[in-house]
Structures are given as structure tokens and as C-alpha cells.
Amino acid sequence: MGKNLIIKHIDELQDDFNRISTYIGENPELGHEEYKACKVLTEELEKYGFSVEIGICGLPTAFTGTYDSGKEGPVIGYMSEYDALPEVGHACGHNLIGTMGIAAGIGLSKVIHETGGKVIVFGTPAEETKGGKVTMAEAGIFDVLDAAIMVHPLDNFVKSGTSLAMDAIQFEFFGKSAHAAASPHLGINALEAVLQTFNSINALRQHIKPDARIHGIITEGGKAANVVPDYAVAQFYVRASKREYVNELVEKVKKCAEGAALQTGAEMKWSFYEFSYDDMVTNSPLSEAFNKELLSLGVNEEEILEQKNGSGSLDMGNVSQAAPSIHPYIKICNEAYACHTHEFREAAMSEQAKEAMILGAKAMALTGYEVLTNQELLKQIKEEFESNKALA
């Protein structure tokens, strides 16, 4: 009865959810500037009795929407993302993700007085840039969750899997300018220090694990060819499947830059220039529960693909270190469009995408219901999460 009631309510509100998704899609906003999206999502939550707080964790467009049964029970968290990309807008389908999160929360709220527990919708800004979930995880707001759930659009159904941990590290080199033809011996070439850093890292690549990635750019390299550059900057992403190995690799990369500074006589200063992402740890009992709900909603088992080893980095990884988490993908188009393209943006605004969004919201809400009512499942989720933490 409870699950049927969830499905009924989400179906009844389908037109509202479609309207919100379209509105966000037609009004793309960059990370930490998602004021319109934040307003329309939180107003919808408030309409259905959620207690909303905007501007949490010092992030003006982050929010929580809480619906508390007033009874003891598990706490279910749904993640909403709603930032767009420069130039291509919602080419990652965050208009769908943001709406799915509130739709799942509202659907589950209709039965929570029966089940007990609490549902919280988290508005998580700037996923594409600064990773709002990183700041929120550091503040500890996900620690209360028994399950953290979000669903991402794609061209296929894909089970929740892994992502790469990542650090973004910057090296600044300070040299001494001189005329490159008349008195080069008086100069200290900061650009040469950057080039030597790249050479050292290229040599290091022969001796790192296959899952690791180090890639970088030169953002400052001098102003004129006839002047010895006295300032140069390089930025690198250091990635690996586990946070521990990223930490180890960062120390080696720093040694490469230190060596380059010694070789050239330049001074070096390093810093993290973006947030650090942790690796995504999928909670398998929670993931299996979600996949079962997809099947119950009519998705064929052979349609749900296994995820290949994660190649990108997600701020959902930081959530997964704080609470049992999943980050599966749902099919919104039949063509193999890549995310962050004009084609995927158009697909995310299609009728097929809206139907997929409602399907995803139902699966999220039904999974939450299972966690609230199935004590054995809750036990398995907690045991795996604690086991993974012990191994970390």
C-alpha cells in the first residue's frame, strides 16, 4: 500500500515536476549563482510541508528541505543538483537531477507518518565547478543519513559504481627577469622550472598505478619572448581510485616541482586551487535495492548495465565517505550522446527525459521506503558502510 501511494502521488504531481525541470533547463545558472533554481525547488518543497533552510554551510544557493515524521526511524537523503555549464547550459541534465531529488522527497513524505523516520532533500550547488557537496560534507551535514541517494541522466541505465579521488594542485615559480638576448645569465627562468616539472612528472608516470591519472596545463608562462620569465604557473589534477593513493601521489608530484625549483634556482609555492574530491564508494545493498525498484517499475534487467571503472571525479564521492550512498544513472535518450554537449542538453529537455525523470524519482522514493521499512536491508547497509570505513 505504501509503495502504491508513493507512485500515485508522484504521478499526480508529474505536470508540476515537468514544469520545474523545463524552467530550470530554460534558465541555466552557473555554480553558486543558481538563485532561480533554488527558489523554484524550495518553493515546491515548502508547498508540501517541508521545512526549508536556504544558504546552509555558507553557500547562498545550497538548501535543505526536511520532512520529519516525528517518530523514530532512519534518515533518507536525496541530492538535488541544479547548476549549469558555461555556454552549453544544462548539458549534464542537472535540470532533471534537481527535480528528481525533490520529487523523490515529496513522494516519500506522503507515507513517512506511517513508516517513521525523516526525509531530507539536499540542494547541492556548483557540482560542475567547486563541488558544493565537498563543503557540505566537511560541515558534517550528511553524517546523520542512513542512505544518500541521487540519480544522474545518461544514454543508458547504469548501476552505481565508483569515481576517482582527485586533488587539484597549483605550482607557482618565482624567478628573475632579464633580457633574454643581452643578459640571459642574469635571469632565473620560471618557465623553465614549469617545463622541468612537466618532464619530471612525465618520468613519474612510468611508475604509478594503472588507475592513476596526472594531467596539467601551464596558465602563466611569460609575457614576451625576449624577456626571461620571472613568473610561471602550472596546474595539475592528480587522480586515483582511492584517496590514500592520491595523497601519496601528490607528495611525489610536489617533489617533482621542488626538484625543478632547485635545478633552475627559482622559488616555488604550491597550493590546492580547487576542492579535493574523494572516491565514490557505492553501498552495494542500497544499490541492489534501487535496481530492484527499477525492475518493479518496468525496466528490463538486461537494460541495467554495470558501470566500468570510474574515470571522472564526483563530489558525491565526499558524501559516500560520510553516509551509505549510491549514484546510479538513468536512461533519458536512445542516442549515445556524451554529457556536456549541445545534443545532451537538448535530450535533457525532451519528453523522453521527463518520463525518465519521473521513473527515477519513483525508484528513489521506493528505495527510501525500503530503507525505512526493511530492517534487514538497513542492517546490511550499515554493516557494509562500517566495514568500508574500517578498511579505509
Side-chain angles (χ1 to χ4, degrees):
M1 179 61 185
K3 289 188 175 181
N4 290 336
L5 196 57
I6 289 171
I7 292 170
K8 176 176 177 288
H9 279 290
I10 292 177
D11 280 337
E12 287 175 351
L13 299 175
Q14 181 171 346
D15 288 346
D16 286 343
F17 297 139
N18 288 343
R19 170 184 53 80
I20 291 168
S21 172
T22 299
Y23 173 79
I24 295 173
E26 290 177 347
N27 293 275
E29 300 165 295
L30 300 180
H32 297 310
E33 300 174 9
E34 316 98 320
Y35 294 101
K36 292 178 180 178
C38 179
K39 184 174 187 289
V40 71
L41 293 169
T42 54
E43 285 179 350
E44 194 72 6
L45 289 171
E46 287 178 327
K47 188 193 302 184
Y48 294 100
F50 281 72
S51 174
V52 169
E53 184 179 355
I54 299 173
I56 61 170
C57 304
L59 305 175
T61 55
F63 68 82
T64 54
T66 303
Y67 198 101
D68 193 341
S69 70
K71 303 175 185 176
E72 290 293 322
V75 183
I76 310 300
Y78 295 119
M79 306 294 139
S80 285
E81 297 174 358
Y82 35 87
D83 62 315
L85 292 152
E87 298 182 7
V88 289
H90 278 287
C92 207
H94 289 193
N95 57 311
L96 303 171
I97 298 174
T99 311
M100 262 192 285
I102 68 161
I106 292 168
L108 186 58
S109 75
K110 299 300 182 180
V111 299
I112 204 164
H113 289 294
E114 165 201 331
T115 64
K118 184 187 300 184
V119 57
I120 307 174
V121 179
F122 293 90
T124 62
E127 189 276 335
E128 297 289 1
T129 50
K130 296 295 185 181
K133 296 185 198 67
V134 177
T135 300
M136 297 165 80
E138 288 175 350
I141 70 168
F142 302 122
D143 296 353
V144 300
L145 297 180
D146 293 285
I149 303 170
M150 72 165 287
V151 173
H152 199 292
L154 201 64
D155 61 346
N156 273 304
F157 294 98
V158 181
K159 296 178 182 179
S160 183
T162 61
S163 68
L164 300 180
M166 184 194 84
D167 277 346
I169 189 167
Q170 174 173 284
F171 298 107
E172 295 177 275
F173 292 93
F174 304 87
K176 183 180 178 182
S177 63
H179 196 289
S183 53
H185 56 288
L186 299 178
I188 297 175
N189 196 319
L191 175 60
E192 193 61 43
V194 164
L195 298 178
Q196 291 302 325
T197 300
F198 272 88
N199 289 337
S200 296
I201 290 172
N202 288 339
L204 174 64
R205 282 198 183 94
Q206 299 178 53
H207 308 288
I208 64 177
K209 294 179 181 179
D211 65 277
R213 303 285 185 271
I214 309 172
H215 41 99
I217 60 171
I218 300 172
T219 60
E220 288 275 353
K223 302 301 182 186
N226 65 343
V227 178
V228 174
D230 64 348
Y231 180 68
V233 182
Q235 295 178 338
F236 295 90
Y237 281 175
V238 181
R239 307 185 199 244
S241 61
K242 296 295 179 184
R243 161 54 51 192
E244 294 74 21
Y245 191 53
V246 169
N247 294 344
E248 180 182 328
L249 271 185
V250 164
E251 292 306 310
K252 292 182 178 181
V253 169
K254 283 159 62 176
K255 294 292 184 186
C256 291
E258 289 169 5
L262 285 171
Q263 286 176 296
T264 59
E267 294 184 9
M268 186 272 289
K269 176 184 175 183
W270 72 271
S271 61
F272 293 118
Y273 70 97
E274 288 180 6
F275 289 145
S276 296
Y277 287 6
D278 289 337
D279 48 297
M280 174 72 199
V281 180
T282 285
N283 185 275
S284 56
L286 185 59
S287 179
E288 289 166 14
F290 177 84
N291 296 333
K292 285 179 183 177
E293 297 306 335
L294 279 182
L295 298 179
S296 77
L297 292 165
V299 178
N300 295 322
E301 190 167 4
E302 59 270 21
E303 290 184 85
I304 308 175
L305 307 179
E306 296 285 344
Q307 187 185 132
K308 298 175 183 177
N309 290 335
S311 57
S313 302
L314 307 166
D315 62 359
M316 189 65 184
N318 297 66
V319 181
S320 75
Q321 305 293 328
S325 302
I326 57 171
H327 184 285
Y329 296 81
I330 197 159
K331 182 176 182 177
I332 68 161
C333 56
N334 298 324
E335 297 79 8
Y337 294 143
C339 293
H340 295 203
T341 62
H342 293 283
E343 291 81 7
F344 197 83
R345 179 195 62 205
E346 296 306 309
M349 295 290 284
S350 69
E351 290 303 313
Q352 183 179 354
K354 292 172 185 174
E355 291 173 7
M357 175 185 73
I358 297 301
L359 174 67
K362 289 176 181 176
M364 293 167 74
L366 296 178
T367 304
Y369 182 85
E370 274 294 306
V371 178
L372 289 173
T373 59
N374 186 332
Q375 290 299 312
E376 181 57 30
L377 172 62
L378 180 62
K379 180 184 175 201
Q380 292 172 4
I381 288 169
K382 287 186 172 182
E383 285 179 349
E384 182 174 291
F385 180 69
E386 293 301 327
S387 175
N388 287 336
K389 280 182 68 175
L391 292 173

